[in-house]
Every structure is written in structure tokens, then in C-alpha cells.
Amino acid sequence: MNNWRQILSWKEFPELSIADKIYIRNTGRIPPHLQTQVGLDLGNWGVYQHPSLGKVAIAMDVYRYIVTIENNDSGDVESYSIDYREIINNKINPFDFEKIIDLAYMEEPEDVNYETTIDELLEEEGVTIVTLV
């Protein structure tokens, strides 16, 4: 999926069908047809300028989103994880990235990288960056 798209708008994604929500609750995964449509994975990270948190990177794993936030106050990069079931249980569209980021930020970070930037981390990983709008 590398370099398949440079800009992704979650506004293109409609609300989930009842069948898709049931699939997520039963399996903990995003339906394959939707994951293919979005195209984010561990090799394709979306980067977004959150209105209050600042620069954020987000990727889809098998059972969760990985959300990485560049903390403007400390200069650190904090990583969070939010599973798809939790997103559905909170009545959030799993493609409304801003709400997913807000939900993840309410948790404790799973990892903190001190004195670095999101750009540096993504460059080290060699991932493709997709701009989220």
C-alpha cells in the first residue's frame, strides 16, 4: 500500500452500518473492505494537525489505532493505543480521527520518546506519511 495516496479525508467515510459495528464488536477488527478503503497501516501513517493538541500521527494495527502526539510543552512524543471495540463502544465513527485522538489522549501514554519529534520517529521507521484533512 505504500505511496497509494498522499491526502486522506475522513469526511469521505460514512457512518458504519450495523453489520460493520457488529463485526468490530465480535472480532475486534475493522472490516477488511473498510481497512482497504482507508489505507492506513503500520507502513502508512496519517499526520494531522489537531486543533488543541498539535501535531499527531496515527496508524492502524490489527486490533487498534496507534496514536502518537508531539507534546508542544515538553518537547516529548507520547504514544497511545486505542482498540476498535472501545471506539465503537464510545459511539465514535472509527474514521473520525479527531475524536479517536481525543479518546486516546484521555488514557495514559504507553510510551514516551524524550526530546524528539514525530517527523524524526516516522523517518526512523521509514513509513509513508499521509496528510489527514
Side-chain angles (χ1 to χ4, degrees), residues 108-125:
E108 288 292 316
E110 292 184 357
D111 188 30
V112 178
N113 291 284
Y114 300 99
E115 299 179 8
T116 190
T117 67
I118 285 177
D119 293 332
E120 292 169 345
L121 287 177
L122 295 179
E123 186 177 319
E124 285 176 18
E125 294 296 323

Side-chain angles (χ1 to χ4, degrees), residues 13 16 20 24 30-39 60 95:
F13 296 97
L16 292 184
D20 288 336
I24 293 170
I30 294 291
H33 68 280
L34 293 175
Q35 183 145 6
T36 301
Q37 186 178 358
V38 175
M60 296 176 84
F95 305 112

